[in-house]
Amino acid sequence: MEQQRIKSLIDLLQASDLSELTLSEAGSTLTLARQADMVQNTTSPALAGLTVATTLAQAKPPAPAAALSQDIPSPLYGILHLTPAPGEASFVTVGQQVEAGAVLCIVEAMKMFHQIQAPRAGVVEALLAEAGSEVDAGQPVVRIGG
């Protein structure tokens, strides 16, 4: 099974309410299961050399209010969008106060748009990636301070 296909299945699992996804194809079986804070694959011996793990930003517990700053990572690989649509105002700007759950940016993967939300209230200290840039899963994209 191709690595890009596995990445798209991980994205599908992350965007859904499913807790597990199993796919059998060409004599190989891939199972992706949502756990406390990880999505992992378990495979047949034919795919034993391939390991895929993606941290789910939404599954992390919120940082304590006393924390000075927190980097918010992208939950998946994709293209970063800082505005809802071309020509519109940014979701957030540096120095802006945000509430828990506020949309900070969007990551586009496989023509699907995944919102990255503030896990807690705070002030946007920095935008750590540029609009239109490719971001990796786990790469910090926004920093929120207390």
Side-chain angles (χ1 to χ4, degrees):
M1 194 171 300
E2 293 180 15
Q3 195 171 19
Q4 185 61 35
R5 174 89 188 254
I6 294 171
K7 284 182 181 181
S8 67
L9 291 171
I10 290 170
D11 293 342
L12 177 67
L13 182 64
Q14 286 178 317
S16 73
D17 292 333
L18 297 174
S19 59
E20 185 172 309
L21 176 69
T22 301
L23 176 69
S24 295
E25 185 177 88
S28 298
T29 300
L30 172 70
T31 300
L32 300 171
R34 188 182 311 262
Q35 296 178 0
D37 64 351
M38 295 292 286
V39 173
Q40 296 182 340
N41 76 348
T42 55
T43 61
S44 66
L47 295 175
L50 183 60
T51 303
V52 178
T54 302
T55 303
L56 295 175
Q58 297 85 358
K60 292 183 181 178
L68 296 178
S69 65
Q70 176 182 7
D71 287 352
I72 311 303
S74 172
L76 65 158
Y77 170 83
I79 304 297
L80 182 68
H81 297 282
L82 299 176
T83 61
E88 291 189 19
S90 296
F91 287 107
V92 294
T93 57
V94 174
Q96 179 180 341
Q97 178 73 36
V98 294
E99 297 298 319
V103 176
L104 303 172
C105 56
I106 293 176
V107 175
E108 176 185 0
M110 306 291 293
K111 300 290 182 194
M112 293 183 67
F113 296 87
H114 305 270
Q115 293 182 347
I116 298 178
Q117 298 177 340
R120 64 181 176 92
V123 176
V124 176
E125 291 182 344
L127 300 173
L128 304 172
E130 293 185 30
S133 65
E134 293 182 12
V135 294
D136 288 321
Q139 177 181 339
V141 292
V142 178
R143 179 173 295 138
I144 294 181

